[in-house]
Amino acid sequence: MPLLDRNGTKVDAWTRSEGSGIDNLSQALVPWEALTEALQHKTRDQRIGVVIPNNIRIAELKLVLRQLSLIAVSFPAYSDGRGFSLAKLIRNHGFTGTLRASGPLIADQFAYALACGFDEIELPEASAARQPVEQWLKAVGQISHGYQRGYGDSHNILDQRRTARAAGRLAAS
Amino acid sequence: MYRYDEFDERFVRERVAQFRDQVARRLDGSITEDEFKPLRLKNGVYLQLHAYMLRIAIPYGTLSSKQLRQLALIGERYDRGYGHFTTRQNLQFNWPKLRDVPEILDLLADVEMHCIQTSGNCIRNVTADHFAGVAQDEIEDPRPTAELIRQWSSLHPEFDYLPRKFKIAVTGAEHDRAVIKAHDIGLRLRRHPDTHEVSYEVSVGGGLGRTPMIGKVVRDYLPKDDLLAFLEAIMRVYNLEGRRDNKYKARVKILVHEIGVEEFRRRVEEEFARLDGPSVNADPAEVARIAAYFKAPDYEALPAISRVLEATKAANPAFARWVEVNTIPHKAPGYAALTISLKPVGEAPGDATSDQMRLVADLAEQYSQAEIRVTHAQNLVLPYVRQRDLFAIWQRLGEAGLASANIGLITDIISCPGLDYCALATARSIPIAQAIQHRFADDNRQKAIGELNIKISGCINACGHHHVGHIGILGLEKRGIESYQITLGGDATENAAIGEILGPGLAAEDVPDAIERIVNVYLSERAEGESFIENVRRIGLAPFKAAFQEVAHAVA
Ligand code: HEM
Ligand code: SF4
């Protein structure tokens, strides 16, 4: 399925495995149900990713976070926003690997996904066919700064105002 | 009033450009109708019975004269010369063309306005006490809080695809004029009894609609600095755990109800404790920056009671009555907060023509610091009027049909658009409001009845707040005929309560009779100085039910 990140389309280096059998896959993406077993069979230079449903409890997930290189959060529909909160929670719990949003998102959600901590979007063929990558790259920059602190970089409006205030104080003194 | 800085300005302009692009992508097929719908809703564009409807945000109901004039212009140029003020302090235009919407958005941006999140499953326009900054019972002005929340909730990356819409209301006064208990989150500024620090009481899970519920307190005293982090915690719990299997069970009130307020509170507090507050909250300097915009104007030093006012009142009983009913005492001596009634008998409640909007804008400029408020009861307020100017204002309002002296009285009816405009309606509501207004049009009679809030919705969604009306009227459809269910004992204030159903539904033409009988019970049973709602609480529903049954039987 087509994959893109903030730089454009990219090749998927991960191989999906339906069960826990990860044989000699160097980057294996397994379903949540098969994760425990897959982790048991993992060799030293194998990397494991997991596909999770969006109703998973962070309490369960956090136990395995450090063994994972990629987490793909499922979006059953673009209108189901649980994945955004889940991503934020996963990042807040210290996950530094790759976070993937997987499902029929729309270009207008790209900026939100990145701000919540996702690195990449994996789209079903039909959505990708309708929405060429140029649209995603355009949409992502349409609102240059949001108001929320703690989402992405420190270019949010509140922090920029703070910086401006600090500069003003310096100038005045 | 708050003024946009360069960041706010750019944000709103970019949002307009983004919407243009979204429309273009819909037209070229990049996104489906299904995908486009929430995008248009989040920008206030509804598809209605006869046409598109555009809902414009009036954050916490505060408008400048300039903004109101622009709304008048838009109404004239792109609608039919009027607009409809709603129970959420917004303005709706019922007849704009979709192709005109981006242009309208540009005109709005020119005066620091927008339609962001006036609809859709996101955090909606934040509402607040319409007497903010001027009411005598105020502990702290709620508008800086509301503005901070407006900014924080705008295009929130995490909370723009919630299970369902989400409404936040703020009050800073003892008397709740913002119906905070019927909101998903209600915030009340209050002093801590020991530290005397101003903090927030946070209620969650209020809401009307088909399952009305009164909000429950999840935090008694939240330090002001922690506001955004605490809101983030509430929203995260709701976004992850709110039901998505059934849209009628998706509001946060259902989650709170299903897991219980203690468990909900525990989950919120757990998340709040875990997240990094300082990286989320606005710093105090930012809060102070916003608050500075809401500083009280430089009031003139005036005697508490204006002699000019007293003299004109004595000479003109109709004016005296209007002052008595439509003004409230003010924080500043010699001033009054004036409510302009948009409920003249026989008009659609909350409608104002472009000419009327211009007149109010002019009056505000001349007499009220160029500021206007929109109330959730669908009226307008001039918050900073010198008492001695009231007579001149009254005369000019009278010429425009805006001098009804009925604020809080039986003809000051809240009504949703109902079947006249709304695609979801099961019955008419505006004509019912008009019929009741005609029945009780006599000023002396209204005065004798005193404070009585009637609220009408044209379907179970309860946009007209009928559940919290002293008398609530809900229009339903039974076998192809409109049928009106009447409830009694609802209350929208700090004593928030959901009304109880009196009996079987009535035909439209019988509603005024039923209301009259209910009112007559009160008039004959009331104790000295007892208001309608106090009377209902004291004597209970039984006598009213009995009177109601007479109407129901007579027509059965
Ligand atoms: C004309 C188009 C409108 C549509 C399609 C519409 C739709 C709805 C729906 C579906 C609900 C129920 C939501 C729920 O229970 O979760 C609702 C509730 C509500 N709407 Fe409307 N509405 C419209 C107009 C208005 C107007 C004109 C007002 C203000 C006068 C308004 C204010 C409200 C309020 C206050 C509630 C109930 C409070 C709550 O529980 O949130 N709506 N609306
Ligand atoms: S209560 Fe029903 S009829 Fe009235 S505006 Fe809301 S959805 Fe429409």
Side-chain angles (χ1 to χ4, degrees):
Chain A
M1 285 196 289
L3 189 66
L4 62 113
D5 67 11
R6 64 182 80 225
N7 300 315
T9 47
K10 67 191 270 192
V11 179
D12 196 351
W14 291 81
T15 312
R16 276 185 190 253
S17 146
E18 282 316 309
S20 57
I22 51 171
D23 298 333
N24 45 13
L25 300 173
S26 62
Q27 291 178 255
L29 191 52
V30 302
W32 170 245
E33 300 73 40
L35 181 65
T36 314
E37 217 185 317
L39 286 173
Q40 277 161 9
H41 294 133
K42 171 182 173 316
T43 60
R44 263 193 66 188
D45 37 52
Q46 269 182 317
R47 294 168 66 202
I48 303 284
V50 66
V51 182
I52 58 169
N54 68 359
N55 59 358
I56 212 164
R57 296 223 163 245
I58 190 69
E60 285 178 76
L61 187 62
K62 78 176 185 203
L63 304 174
V64 290
L65 278 187
R66 291 177 56 188
Q67 301 171 68
L68 297 170
S69 302
L70 178 140
I71 301 176
V73 178
S74 305
F75 280 73
Y78 74 95
S79 55
D80 186 339
R82 276 177 281 194
F84 296 115
S85 281
L86 200 52
K88 187 75 178 144
L89 270 182
I90 291 170
R91 288 296 186 210
N92 284 357
H93 277 83
F95 180 69
T96 53
T98 303
L99 252 188
R100 174 185 289 190
S102 180
L105 278 80
I106 54 179
D108 300 278
Q109 295 176 310
F110 194 20
Y112 289 169
L114 295 176
C116 288
F118 285 110
D119 301 293
E120 56 190 36
I121 316 275
E122 183 188 28
L123 291 170
E125 299 289 350
S127 316
R130 275 190 283 111
Q131 306 174 83
V133 69
E134 298 73 42
Q135 286 189 3
W136 292 77
L137 296 178
K138 181 176 172 202
V140 82
Q142 267 170 339
I143 307 290
S144 37
H145 309 292
Y147 288 97
Q148 301 75 21
R149 301 185 63 225
Y151 290 80
D153 55 30
S154 60
H155 297 317
N156 65 80
I157 293 173
L158 264 59
D159 282 333
Q160 290 201 62
R161 283 181 182 145
R162 181 200 292 241
T163 310
R165 263 194 298 274
R169 264 202 303 279
L170 282 180
S173 61
Chain B
M1 262 186 82
Y2 186 70
R3 296 300 314 268
Y4 283 8
D5 67 0
E6 60 191 291
F7 297 109
D8 300 311
E9 167 78 20
R10 178 165 46 183
F11 183 86
V12 167
R13 294 285 179 195
E14 286 177 344
R15 178 69 186 100
V16 176
Q18 183 185 42
F19 186 69
R20 269 211 174 82
D21 183 53
Q22 288 168 340
V23 172
R25 275 182 286 131
R26 170 64 203 117
L27 293 177
D28 74 15
S30 300
I31 45 178
T32 64
E33 186 54 35
D34 194 38
E35 287 165 340
F36 178 61
K37 189 175 164 197
L39 302 181
R40 98 172 135 67
L41 285 178
K42 279 175 224 262
N43 215 8
V45 186
Y46 273 83
L47 191 53
Q48 276 308 306
L49 217 50
H50 311 290
Y52 279 100
M53 175 195 97
L54 183 66
R55 188 181 285 163
I56 294 164
I58 303 176
Y60 37 94
T62 299
L63 274 175
S64 68
S65 290
K66 188 175 166 196
Q67 291 174 327
L68 187 54
R69 280 197 197 101
Q70 192 81 330
L71 296 175
L73 176 88
I74 293 169
E76 220 159 51
R77 195 179 288 173
Y78 300 100
D79 202 293
R80 298 185 179 174
Y82 69 93
H84 177 74
F85 290 98
T86 79
T87 44
R88 303 215 67 260
Q89 300 179 317
N90 291 324
L91 183 80
Q92 281 177 194
F93 285 120
N94 288 312
W95 309 100
K97 308 241 175 340
L98 184 58
R99 63 159 192 274
D100 291 336
V101 169
E103 255 171 71
I104 299 176
L105 295 177
D106 279 333
L107 287 172
L108 290 171
D110 288 345
V111 294
E112 306 182 4
M113 295 186 80
H114 58 70
C115 296
I116 297 170
Q117 290 164 215
T118 51
S119 180
N121 295 335
C122 49
I123 302 173
R124 301 284 191 91
N125 184 41
V126 184
T127 55
D129 185 351
H130 46 261
F131 289 136
V134 300
Q136 288 186 337
D137 65 342
E138 186 170 275
I139 295 134
E140 193 175 296
D141 193 328
R143 288 170 301 165
T145 297
E147 173 60 25
L148 181 64
I149 298 174
R150 179 191 76 83
Q151 297 186 19
W152 165 82
S153 62
S154 292
L155 306 189
H156 197 296
E158 189 178 343
F159 308 128
D160 211 21
Y161 289 85
L162 297 169
R164 200 74 178 84
K165 60 168 141 178
F166 203 94
K167 303 177 180 179
I168 304 181
V170 196
T171 181
E174 272 156 29
H175 180 53
D176 178 9
R177 286 170 288 259
V179 208
I180 61 166
K181 293 287 188 174
H183 284 76
D184 297 279
I185 293 181
L187 296 173
R188 179 162 77 94
L189 285 147
R190 65 193 302 206
R191 262 179 216 292
H192 192 284
D194 304 329
T195 63
H196 302 291
E197 207 178 311
V198 176
S199 35
Y200 298 106
E201 176 192 76
V202 185
S203 302
V204 180
L208 301 172
R210 64 186 65 213
T211 324
M213 288 193 189
I214 301 296
K216 294 158 192 81
V217 175
V218 297
R219 185 60 107 79
D220 288 305
Y221 298 97
L222 177 74
K224 277 185 71 184
D225 290 351
D226 285 334
L227 179 67
L228 297 185
F230 199 76
L231 292 180
E232 184 173 308
I234 294 174
M235 298 312 299
R236 187 164 295 139
V237 169
Y238 170 56
N239 193 31
L240 284 167
E241 302 184 32
R243 287 182 59 171
R244 290 180 187 259
D245 57 329
N246 178 341
K247 81 173 206 175
Y248 300 120
K249 300 199 165 162
R251 297 282 294 270
V252 71
K253 64 188 173 188
I254 303 293
L255 176 65
V256 172
H257 180 72
E258 285 182 351
I259 66 176
V261 67
E262 289 76 21
E263 177 60 16
F264 183 81
R265 184 185 298 128
R266 193 192 63 70
R267 291 185 198 178
V268 169
E269 291 288 356
E270 184 182 65
E271 177 58 18
F272 176 62
R274 212 197 42 72
L275 58 73
D276 178 28
S279 74
V280 173
N281 287 314
D283 65 304
E286 172 64 10
V287 177
R289 182 191 74 86
I290 293 176
Y293 286 105
F294 298 99
K295 215 168 64 136
D298 294 329
Y299 291 114
E300 264 174 60
L302 296 172
I305 309 275
S306 153
R307 293 229 313 277
V308 180
L309 173 66
E310 293 308 304
T312 36
K313 268 172 35 180
N316 192 328
F319 170 64
R321 171 143 179 69
W322 177 78
V323 172
E324 186 194 337
V325 176
N326 289 33
T327 66
I328 62 149
H330 201 279
K331 264 184 185 169
Y335 282 78
L338 165 68
T339 306
I340 299 170
S341 170
L342 296 181
K343 317 289 177 65
V345 168
E347 301 292 331
D351 275 7
T353 65
S354 292
D355 286 340
Q356 289 174 329
M357 290 186 219
R358 282 198 190 97
L359 171 68
V360 174
D362 290 347
L363 290 173
E365 204 158 62
Q366 198 170 347
Y367 299 111
S368 179
Q369 312 280 341
E371 190 176 317
I372 302 107
R373 309 284 175 76
V374 182
T375 80
H376 82 264
Q378 306 176 284
N379 293 310
L380 299 176
V381 167
L382 299 185
Y384 311 104
V385 177
R386 284 179 305 211
Q387 292 175 5
R388 66 158 183 262
D389 293 331
L390 282 166
F391 189 69
I393 297 175
W394 178 70
Q395 286 182 310
R396 287 179 54 195
L397 286 174
E399 290 158 18
L402 288 176
S404 302
N406 63 352
I407 297 306
L409 302 182
I410 191 164
T411 57
D412 184 5
I413 298 173
I414 291 184
S415 168
C416 79
L419 207 49
D420 291 288
Y421 299 104
C422 177
L424 304 177
T426 41
R428 293 166 303 156
S429 41
I430 293 170
I432 302 296
Q434 290 164 332
I436 297 170
Q437 286 179 327
H438 280 297
R439 180 68 63 94
F440 292 95
D442 181 65
D443 266 350
N444 291 325
R445 193 168 177 207
Q446 289 197 51
K447 185 178 175 181
I449 298 165
E451 183 173 2
L452 204 174
N453 302 338
I454 297 183
K455 307 190 188 214
I456 310 177
S457 305
C459 81
I460 192 83
N461 289 320
C463 302
H465 286 193
H466 67 274
H467 298 295
V468 290
H470 297 158
I471 299 176
I473 302 175
L474 164 61
L476 298 167
E477 188 228 278
K478 282 211 177 106
R479 285 172 247 108
I481 309 168
E482 290 164 310
S483 164
Y484 293 86
Q485 203 173 65
I486 301 200
T487 53
L488 193 65
D491 191 323
T493 69
E494 61 280 11
N495 307 312
I498 307 285
E500 285 180 51
I501 297 172
L502 278 184
L506 299 175
E509 57 273 21
D510 298 319
V511 172
D513 280 342
I515 304 297
E516 200 158 20
R517 296 221 183 202
I518 293 168
V519 170
N520 286 342
V521 172
Y522 158 66
L523 292 176
S524 65
E525 299 288 327
R526 70 173 160 189
E528 180 70 24
E530 192 177 49
S531 71
F532 178 83
I533 185 69
E534 288 163 353
N535 180 251
V536 172
R537 277 197 214 107
R538 181 172 62 81
I539 70 176
L541 246 49
F544 295 96
K545 269 195 177 145
F548 179 85
Q549 289 298 344
E550 287 171 30
V551 184
H553 283 161
V555 299

